[in-house]
Amino acid sequence: MSAVMELLLLLPLVLLALEAPLCHGACVEVDSDTEAVISDGFKLGCIYCKMRGEVDATATVKWSFKGSGDSDFSDLYIYEDARGEIIDPRFYERLAWNGSKHTTDLQDGSIYILNVTYNDTGTYKCKFSRTLKYSNYDYEKTIEKNITINVVARLTRGMASILSEVMMYVSIIGLQFWLLVEMIYCYRKISAAGEEALRESAEEYLAIASESKDNRAGAQVAE
């Protein structure tokens, strides 16, 4: 009986663990990397999270590029209505969409450069235009993010980058430990509540049985 009760008490925790990977992660605006390696691929990150998840929206992402020897920005790439177009001929067959897929409600407007060259050094501008569709009106908002890329022969990591990665792993381990403690605490609390309920049921059953026995004994004496 005890083993069955433990299995029943563990069932909600097992279901929670199975459902966890199915949950959608929250949107987090992370800055793009700024150092690309020659001949490698490189992701230009541009994330603009939607704060009102319940509101329908559409978004367009437009990228511009100003090379190290250019005086002004030139159109590079546009993604609209789930379709992308390379505008700058310098990036033909070297640029791919790396953002939100199968939706017009974009939150990730990242692109990916293939076979990086030294000519790709410069400043990239990401223009994110979003239209929130409320019941009575549309609300439009546009943000711009500039990313300065330096192309190097070999990737170098600064102390700040190393410390940032270490802190990320420490945070992940700390969060996992905290979740484990919470699960153990909840299991013990549910287990204690289940045992208390079983004790109360047993005491109630014994009280009823005792009362029934007394009633039968009284009836026999009366006869």
Side-chain angles (χ1 to χ4, degrees), residues 182-211:
E182 284 291 317
M183 290 179 65
I184 294 174
Y185 170 76
C186 291
Y187 168 71
R188 288 183 175 178
K189 190 172 181 180
I190 295 172
S191 178
E195 292 175 0
E196 182 64 26
L198 286 175
R199 277 198 302 270
E200 291 178 357
S201 298
E203 290 173 359
E204 184 178 354
Y205 173 78
L206 291 174
I208 294 173
S210 177
E211 183 178 353

Side-chain angles (χ1 to χ4, degrees), residues 107-124:
Q107 296 193 78
D108 187 350
S110 304
I111 56 177
Y112 194 83
I113 302 175
L114 302 169
N115 191 23
V116 171
T117 70
Y118 284 112
N119 292 330
D120 298 335
T121 299
T123 302
Y124 295 79

Side-chain angles (χ1 to χ4, degrees), residues 19-177:
E19 291 178 2
L22 301 178
C23 297
H24 297 289
C27 177
V28 179
E29 296 187 12
V30 181
D31 292 336
S32 175
D33 291 333
T34 58
E35 195 170 75
V37 178
I38 188 71
S39 299
D40 283 355
F42 182 77
K43 178 180 178 180
L44 280 163
C46 181
I47 300 175
Y48 178 30
C49 296
K50 186 176 70 173
M51 298 296 104
R52 300 294 300 273
E54 75 281 4
V55 179
D56 292 335
T58 59
T60 301
V61 179
K62 183 177 181 181
W63 284 89
S64 304
F65 172 60
K66 183 173 72 172
S68 55
D70 298 337
S71 58
D72 203 356
F73 284 92
S74 59
D75 293 339
L76 169 62
Y77 183 87
I78 186 169
Y79 192 87
E80 185 175 17
D81 295 329
R83 291 191 300 271
E85 179 185 359
I86 302 173
I87 302 173
D88 193 327
R90 292 173 292 183
F91 291 86
Y92 282 166
E93 299 183 354
R94 291 201 306 119
L95 202 60
W97 176 250
N98 198 229
S100 303
K101 294 179 175 60
H102 310 300
T103 180
T104 57
D105 187 2
L106 308 175
Q107 296 193 78
D108 187 350
S110 304
I111 56 177
Y112 194 83
I113 302 175
L114 302 169
N115 191 23
V116 171
T117 70
Y118 284 112
N119 292 330
D120 298 335
T121 299
T123 302
Y124 295 79
K125 180 186 293 183
C126 169
K127 184 178 180 180
F128 223 119
S129 301
R130 174 174 291 138
T131 302
L132 296 169
K133 299 181 179 297
Y134 293 94
S135 56
N136 297 323
Y137 66 97
D138 292 347
Y139 177 75
E140 297 183 0
K141 187 172 182 180
T142 300
I143 66 160
E144 293 184 355
K145 297 184 178 183
N146 288 344
I147 306 166
T148 300
I149 301 301
N150 182 37
V151 178
V152 296
R154 182 177 170 184
L155 186 64
T156 58
R157 297 188 62 189
M159 183 58 66
S161 174
I162 296 174
L163 289 176
S164 177
E165 184 172 344
V166 170
M167 290 303 298
M168 179 187 69
Y169 285 117
V170 169
S171 300
I172 292 173
I173 294 172
L175 179 60
Q176 290 179 339
F177 177 75

